[in-house]
Amino acid sequence: MMNTLNRLAPLPAQRFLLAASLLFWCGGMHLYWPNNGGSGLSLPLNIVAWIYAVVLAGSVSVLLPRRRWRLTLPAVGFMAGALILTFLCLLTPVVWKTEALLVAGALLGGTLLYLAVLQIPLTTHVLTALLTLIWGACLLECLAFVYQYLHLPGVEYWEFAWWRSTRPYGIFQQVNLMASFTACGVLLSALLFLRIHGRARIVIGFACVLMGFVLHECQSQTGYLSLAVGEVLLLAIFPSQRRTLLRLLVPLAAGMAMGAVARHFLSVATVDHLTSSHVRWSVLKTSLALFVERPWIGWGVGSFAAVFLERTGRFGLSSMSHPHNELVLWMVEGGLVGLAGAVCFIAGGFWLWISGNHWRRACLVAALPVVIHMLTEYPVRQSTPHWLLLILLLRCADSAVKRHRLALPATDFVRVAAFIATLAFTPLLLLTLQTQQRLTTAERQSEQWRLAESLPVGGWLMATRYRFDVEMGYLQRYQRTRDARWLAPVRRWAREYVRVHPDPNISFTQILLAQQQRDMSAARRLAARFYLEYPNDRRIPWLQDARRPFNQKME
């Protein structure tokens, strides 16, 4: 294996890129870790992905020879966008600062990874090998999807909730993420089919059948749209290969037909997208109205959920953490400044397209499903594998012909920063993974009361969740001892928590706590707010019952 790696990648940085990518994309990414859902660093998959990114960026910066780092025009655009959006994160009001700093970290970390990988020469063999590894990750996830779909023995490995008629989701635990990842795999199949000859093409053909099946059974509008747009662009990029590309659609269509037959015989439910489309339109209109109110620097990074609920709760839309469009999200939370930062990223991608050859443009097309996911679902940083997939494919699309170079002092600064970040964040992320597993165990066993009150080092990057579990531990102590002193810190915490993370369960708990402490005026006020924010909540009849103490008129 080492001999093969040495032939493919003669430079140390090239070999490390391929070796680390092999371990992550075809190994560590597919290992399931127990979790209770969520996004960001609440998911072990995202933590493992960041470990890969940090180690890759730091190691490459050391392995590269000491010379001025090259800087392409698209890289300048990405750096400018990241710096503008990070500036907005630093300007965010204190109440949302914790969330904003995590966003800034994701932006700067991704940009640093892009700069580091940009320094690695991607020869024909290295480029093909890297694309193949990413394609292999898509293929492995499709195999996991089919395993879950058929409910084969051992499906409990993923804690797959088959009894709820859940659509399979691979390792991602969210169907649209699985669909966009699979769409990337389909487009990479077409790209590799044109680059590779011989028996490997047979494997790609069978993979297209599998990916067509998975994409059809995901029942994701995002997946369908990504595939349709991507295939049209590939036909435009490779006019002399149109017949080959059209033939490759045959196994893809065969896989989709197999999915339709399997859905019929297995009585799998068909998803109705009409309601969700209507909700998306309502959210978009409200988001644009919020942008008009504060057009310059927006409401603050991390503020969308709270501001949106305040404006739309009475209409029954309930809480929503994002507008299902990352561009709109930056418009609301960052105003025109946020839009300018997003435009820098778009301009960088546009320049990659107009300056690239057909192979580099094809790499951009392969990244298109992630971009479409950003514009139809939630922010890409919430799924780190998708974020890293986008970064690597953008790097594959970047040209080494026209470039500038950083000054040597600036290069040394970036290299040292990358190395220090590796030394600091690798152990921190490992501790975060350990803490995430502890929290998951405590939550499942209802033993949050065992958690230490002070925030451990492993909880720094997931402070909000750790604090949540500590407060739930206070409630557990109260239930066991009936000592009212445990309720006071929970009330203080809940008041701040719902300002950042609107949650009907926490808002309802606030009412119960006020009632338990005989603060009827506060209970009445909180109940009135609950009616406005969550008018469709099933607990409202209970709250409105005249027998509730806070509903009784004072004499």
Side-chain angles (χ1 to χ4, degrees):
M1 180 179 176
M2 287 302 299
N3 290 334
T4 303
L5 190 60
N6 289 332
R7 284 200 309 271
L8 288 175
L11 300 179
Q14 292 175 331
R15 290 196 293 271
F16 189 87
L17 169 64
L18 295 182
S21 297
L22 174 65
L23 290 175
F24 174 71
W25 291 109
C26 297
M29 171 185 162
H30 309 284
L31 298 178
Y32 180 82
W33 298 72
N35 65 89
N36 286 341
S39 62
L41 295 179
S42 290
L43 292 177
L45 173 61
N46 289 340
I47 302 174
V48 172
W50 274 118
I51 292 174
Y52 159 70
V54 169
V55 171
L56 179 58
S59 300
V60 166
S61 66
V62 172
L63 293 172
L64 289 168
R66 187 175 183 269
R67 62 187 181 194
R68 296 165 60 190
W69 276 18
R70 61 178 181 161
L71 200 61
T72 60
L73 193 57
V76 173
F78 299 149
M79 289 173 58
L83 291 175
I84 291 173
L85 298 182
T86 298
F87 176 71
L88 279 175
C89 292
L90 298 178
L91 291 179
T92 293
V94 175
V95 64
W96 298 303
K97 184 72 75 175
T98 300
E99 302 302 313
L101 291 178
L102 290 176
V103 174
L107 291 168
L108 293 177
T111 305
L112 182 59
L113 175 63
Y114 187 90
L115 278 178
V117 181
L118 184 63
Q119 311 314 310
I120 304 176
L122 293 186
T123 61
T124 300
H125 293 308
V126 173
L127 176 62
T128 303
L130 181 59
L131 294 176
T132 302
L133 292 175
I134 298 173
W135 174 82
C138 301
L139 181 60
L140 288 172
E141 278 311 301
C142 287
L143 291 172
F145 180 100
V146 173
Y147 202 92
Q148 295 168 355
Y149 185 87
L150 298 176
H151 308 310
L152 297 176
V155 75
E156 62 273 6
Y157 168 76
W158 294 277
E159 300 182 310
F160 181 60
W162 59 269
W163 58 86
R164 302 175 196 163
S165 300
T166 305
R167 286 178 289 169
Y169 41 60
I171 197 68
F172 297 108
Q173 301 179 258
Q174 212 269 2
V175 178
N176 285 326
L177 283 171
M178 181 69 207
S180 59
F181 200 72
T182 303
C184 286
V186 173
L187 298 174
L188 282 171
S189 296
L191 176 56
L192 290 172
F193 194 86
L194 298 179
R195 292 180 69 89
I196 299 175
H197 300 282
R199 294 181 180 179
R201 284 189 164 188
I202 299 175
V203 177
I204 295 175
F206 280 110
C208 284
V209 176
L210 178 62
M211 291 178 182
F213 177 90
V214 170
L215 199 60
H216 184 272
E217 289 311 281
C218 281
Q219 302 184 58
S220 168
Q221 291 176 306
T222 298
Y224 295 145
L225 178 62
S226 300
L227 180 61
V229 176
E231 289 290 346
V232 169
L233 288 176
L234 285 179
L235 290 172
I237 292 172
F238 298 102
S240 62
Q241 300 287 346
R242 286 177 183 174
R243 181 172 297 181
T244 302
L245 291 172
L246 290 174
R247 285 176 180 170
L248 200 59
L249 293 178
V250 174
L252 186 69
M256 291 184 173
M258 291 170 59
V261 173
R263 189 189 306 175
H264 174 74
F265 283 102
L266 296 178
S267 300
V268 178
T270 300
V271 178
D272 178 19
H273 295 287
L274 186 60
T275 301
S276 63
S277 298
H278 176 71
V279 171
R280 288 170 187 267
W281 175 242
S282 300
V283 172
L284 178 61
K285 290 193 296 184
T286 303
S287 300
L288 293 178
L290 291 172
F291 167 69
V292 170
E293 284 191 43
R294 294 192 180 181
W296 297 111
I297 59 172
W299 297 80
V301 178
S303 66
F304 182 86
V307 175
F308 183 84
L309 180 64
E310 180 183 337
R311 297 302 173 89
T312 64
R314 63 184 182 276
F315 300 125
L317 290 180
S318 190
S319 59
M320 193 165 292
S321 59
H322 51 81
H324 292 273
N325 185 304
E326 187 147 3
L327 191 61
V328 175
L329 178 62
W330 280 112
M331 289 171 61
V332 173
E333 295 188 342
L336 290 173
V337 177
L339 182 60
V343 168
C344 287
F345 282 98
I346 296 172
F350 181 73
W351 184 259
L352 286 176
W353 179 269
I354 63 175
S355 62
N357 59 25
H358 53 282
W359 292 114
R360 298 187 182 280
R361 288 179 178 177
C363 291
L364 278 181
V365 172
L368 188 64
V370 180
V371 177
I372 291 179
H373 189 99
M374 295 165 59
L375 299 178
T376 57
E377 293 299 327
Y378 57 71
V380 70
R381 61 181 177 272
Q382 292 188 12
S383 175
T384 309
H386 284 71
W387 180 218
L388 300 183
L389 174 63
L390 177 62
I391 291 170
L392 289 180
L393 289 177
L394 288 175
R395 164 61 191 101
C396 291
D398 208 340
S399 174
V401 176
K402 295 180 180 180
R403 61 183 183 270
H404 301 284
R405 290 191 178 273
L406 287 172
L408 191 57
T411 297
D412 290 338
F413 174 79
V414 174
R415 294 182 63 175
V416 170
F419 183 67
I420 293 176
T422 302
L423 295 179
F425 282 99
T426 301
L428 179 59
L429 287 166
L430 289 171
L431 289 173
T432 302
L433 182 61
Q434 181 186 44
T435 302
Q436 185 278 331
Q437 291 293 284
R438 284 180 51 212
L439 293 180
T440 297
T441 301
E443 292 163 0
R444 294 183 177 188
Q445 298 176 355
S446 297
E447 292 184 346
Q448 290 100 317
W449 59 274
R450 294 181 178 273
L451 297 173
E453 295 184 19
S454 58
L455 187 67
V457 175
W460 288 356
L461 298 179
M462 48 192 316
T464 300
R465 179 179 171 186
Y466 192 91
R467 191 75 249 162
F468 181 98
D469 281 336
V470 167
E471 299 299 333
M472 293 304 103
Y474 291 157
L475 289 179
Q476 291 170 357
R477 288 188 175 98
Y478 170 75
Q479 291 169 349
R480 294 171 57 192
T481 64
R482 292 297 167 183
D483 186 345
R485 69 189 178 93
W486 295 112
L487 299 182
V490 181
R491 285 190 67 184
R492 291 193 298 269
W493 164 82
R495 184 169 55 250
E496 297 301 318
Y497 181 84
V498 295
R499 293 178 61 192
V500 184
H501 306 281
D503 185 335
N505 295 322
I506 300 300
S507 295
F508 184 77
T509 300
Q510 283 184 285
I511 302 171
L512 299 183
L513 292 176
Q515 176 183 310
Q516 191 67 32
Q517 293 190 312
R518 302 186 185 283
D519 189 351
M520 297 308 161
S521 61
R524 194 176 297 112
R525 184 182 69 256
L526 290 169
R529 181 175 178 177
F530 191 90
Y531 303 150
L532 290 175
E533 293 181 341
Y534 306 104
N536 298 326
D537 195 281
R538 56 183 174 80
R539 293 166 289 197
I540 285 182
W542 186 92
L543 288 174
Q544 293 178 331
D545 193 322
R547 291 171 295 181
R548 303 279 86 78
F550 51 83
N551 288 332
Q552 296 174 4
K553 294 183 179 180
M554 301 293 292
E555 296 294 339

